[in-house]
Amino acid sequence: MLYAEDLIVGQTFALGSMEVTAEEIVAFARQWDPLPMHTDPEAAARGHFGGLIASGLHTMGVAIRLTVEALVGDLAVVAGREIRTLRLHRPVRPGTVLTGSVEVTEQRLRDDGRGVVVWATELHDGAGDRVLSLVTETVVFRRGADAPARPAS
Amino acid sequence: MLYAEDLIVGQTFALGSMEVTAEEIVAFARQWDPLPMHTDPEAAARGHFGGLIASGLHTMGVAIRLTVEALVGDLAVVAGREIRTLRLHRPVRPGTVLTGSVEVTEQRLRDDGRGVVVWATELHDGAGDRVLSLVTETVVFRRGADAPARPAS
């Protein structure tokens, strides 16, 4: 398990990769962001981007999924608390394979058995161009806190 | 259609409402945020929150879905560009009915036929307690810009 003390500013974790398919773009957006640019290939082709693009929330979902797979299973997380910033640098089109990294940018130990950890996540596409930057703040248990070692499993 | 010129700082739109069910919490999180506090009711019951809570990304999805339903179908949107802040004030548990509002907090007309609009969204639960604050920045067409009136439909 990784506790707040184990996370050092500058520490970087590589993320796995995930392909974003046209089917997923449409299915995700129908449920959470039903704009034609995400849900209707023909309308999207006539629109500003000249074709379907993923909802920004979908791209953020990929970032979070890859982060959970890369490290959160080993992290004594209490909860996510805040997104400080999300920037969408370029549209994500069907067939794009996203990968990236997450870096610890702040770590502050508190007296209540927890620590606050800030993470900077970046996703890039197959050409190496950056598509997303995400800065999140989470609360993580300190080693030996009275809370269970695996609080939610 | 609502163009950038039509959006005035202080203008507020009421959102509809959506219930967050246990089934949706688990289904959403299995795909995008597979932590036991979101996916495993028994593990969650033993964990920090004493039961299942929705992924923050799921709660944000509710906010975006309700916003699209409330106004984006009438908005000449080019694209979302940035989330300036997302704050999760309290956990969202199964059966919570979320509703809220979205307010225009900045509007800046550009010379290229577009405007930048900043929106502050708040969601609260059935007891009126605030669960989410979200500040987003979007690009919206100006009236009479050379782009299509409905860019993506």
Side-chain angles (χ1 to χ4, degrees):
Chain A
M1 286 298 280
L2 286 170
Y3 293 90
E5 291 87 341
D6 304 321
L7 298 159
I8 309 299
V9 171
Q11 206 171 353
T12 301
F13 302 84
L15 301 180
S17 65
M18 191 179 287
E19 183 178 350
V20 177
T21 68
E23 292 70 24
E24 283 175 337
I25 288 174
V26 170
F28 186 98
R30 276 194 185 142
Q31 197 166 7
W32 301 110
D33 193 1
L35 293 173
M37 71 176 94
H38 307 310
T39 59
D40 181 340
E42 290 182 17
R46 296 192 303 273
H48 178 66
F49 294 104
L52 273 186
I53 65 167
S55 165
L57 194 72
H58 184 173
T59 306
M60 198 171 138
V62 172
I64 291 177
R65 172 64 185 255
L66 292 177
T67 301
V68 169
E69 288 177 350
L71 91 164
V72 177
D74 297 321
L75 186 71
V77 65
V78 180
R81 193 166 68 167
E82 180 176 330
I83 292 174
R84 292 202 183 163
T85 322
L86 167 72
R87 288 209 178 84
L88 301 165
H89 302 286
R90 51 179 62 221
V92 173
R93 300 179 187 278
T96 302
V97 177
L98 295 172
T99 184
S101 61
V102 55
E103 179 180 355
V104 177
T105 60
E106 292 179 41
Q107 180 250 51
R108 192 171 72 247
L109 301 176
R110 298 193 317 208
D111 292 336
D112 64 354
R114 286 131 200 226
V116 175
V117 180
V118 178
W119 312 83
T121 303
E122 303 234 314
L123 287 186
H124 52 82
D125 62 19
D129 288 318
R130 193 170 61 160
V131 302
L132 169 145
S133 310
L134 175 65
V135 179
T136 53
E137 187 177 313
T138 59
V139 179
V140 179
F141 285 106
R142 294 184 62 167
R143 192 176 295 280
D146 55 357
R150 276 192 167 270
S153 68
Chain B
M1 286 298 281
L2 286 169
Y3 293 90
E5 290 87 341
D6 304 321
L7 299 159
I8 309 299
V9 171
Q11 207 170 353
T12 300
F13 303 84
L15 301 180
S17 65
M18 191 179 288
E19 184 179 349
V20 177
T21 67
E23 293 70 23
E24 283 175 337
I25 289 174
V26 170
F28 185 97
R30 277 195 182 141
Q31 197 166 7
W32 301 112
D33 194 359
L35 292 173
M37 70 176 96
H38 308 311
T39 59
D40 181 340
E42 291 183 15
R46 295 192 303 273
H48 178 66
F49 294 103
L52 272 186
I53 65 167
S55 165
L57 194 72
H58 184 174
T59 307
M60 196 172 140
V62 173
I64 291 177
R65 171 64 184 253
L66 292 177
T67 301
V68 169
E69 287 176 351
L71 92 164
V72 177
D74 298 321
L75 186 70
V77 65
V78 180
R81 192 165 71 166
E82 180 174 332
I83 292 174
R84 292 201 184 165
T85 322
L86 168 73
R87 287 209 178 82
L88 301 165
H89 301 286
R90 50 178 63 221
V92 173
R93 299 179 188 278
T96 303
V97 177
L98 296 172
T99 183
S101 61
V102 56
E103 180 182 355
V104 177
T105 59
E106 293 179 40
Q107 182 250 50
R108 193 170 72 249
L109 301 176
R110 298 193 318 207
D111 291 335
D112 64 353
R114 286 130 200 227
V116 174
V117 180
V118 177
W119 312 83
T121 303
E122 304 234 316
L123 287 185
H124 52 83
D125 61 20
D129 288 318
R130 193 171 59 159
V131 302
L132 170 144
S133 311
L134 174 65
V135 179
T136 53
E137 186 178 313
T138 58
V139 180
V140 179
F141 284 106
R142 294 184 63 168
R143 192 175 295 281
D146 55 358
R150 276 192 167 268
S153 67

